[in-house]
Amino acid sequence: MRKFAGLVAVCVVALAACAQEEKSPAQQQIDDERAIAEVEAAQTPPPDVVAPERITPEERTRFGLSDRGCAFAVNNPEVGAQAILQMNVGYLKFDGRMERFAPDAGSGGGPSGTSTRYDGGRHGIHVQYDMAAAQQTASEQLSVPTRITLQDGRGRIVYVADGIALCG
């Protein structure tokens, strides 16, 4: 696809050169770069904007997700989490389907053995835990204010949410 884009850009530049007066090498290079950028921009798909859904207790059981790690939710994580983050795996649900994420080995550690970055097939997760504001709950879990940022495969932010992660 990149070769095709390059070929199209070269053709556009060649046609433009035939139809205009001679340009300085510097101006020609600027025009060439602009033409290539226009072709590439036309081929870049729009971001895959998503909204994570709540993960049900049945889905936690089906996917073998224990109570270890952190359950993140924008509102009331005890009702159901939008993200389950554990030591060896993370899950989010989009359009009724669970998406699996692997922890990034080079990222920092979060509470209860979680990671601060997870990589998936279509998306990547960046997790920011506010450990200074963490509180112990009555059920011996840690309640941590958390921000989750989701990026698509091109590194574009497609979802950001602040909420609470219950960790234990």
Side-chain angles (χ1 to χ4, degrees), residues 33-154:
E33 289 173 1
R34 184 179 299 128
I36 290 169
E38 288 174 4
V39 170
E40 288 178 350
Q43 294 178 347
T44 303
D48 180 21
V49 178
V50 294
E53 301 167 12
R54 291 207 184 265
I55 299 170
T56 66
E58 294 79 20
E59 289 165 327
R60 284 184 80 131
T61 301
R62 186 175 348 130
F63 287 90
L65 301 173
S66 69
D67 290 333
R68 303 290 256 182
C70 297
F72 169 84
V74 175
N75 296 314
N76 197 359
E78 294 169 345
V79 172
Q82 280 103 350
I84 304 294
L85 306 171
Q86 298 181 331
M87 182 183 295
N88 297 321
V89 70
Y91 275 96
L92 274 86
K93 182 169 111 177
F94 308 108
D95 300 322
R97 294 190 332 234
M98 296 285 280
E99 186 171 333
R100 182 184 174 103
F101 294 82
D104 184 334
S107 68
S112 301
T114 61
S115 182
T116 57
R117 288 195 182 275
Y118 290 81
D119 297 317
R122 298 182 320 166
H123 301 98
I125 306 171
H126 179 234
V127 187
Q128 295 170 293
Y129 297 102
D130 184 358
M131 295 307 294
Q135 298 178 352
Q136 197 75 27
T137 68
S139 61
E140 298 300 315
Q141 290 184 308
L142 195 60
S143 176
V144 185
T146 303
R147 170 174 279 182
I148 287 190
T149 303
L150 215 59
Q151 295 179 326
D152 68 7
R154 296 178 182 273

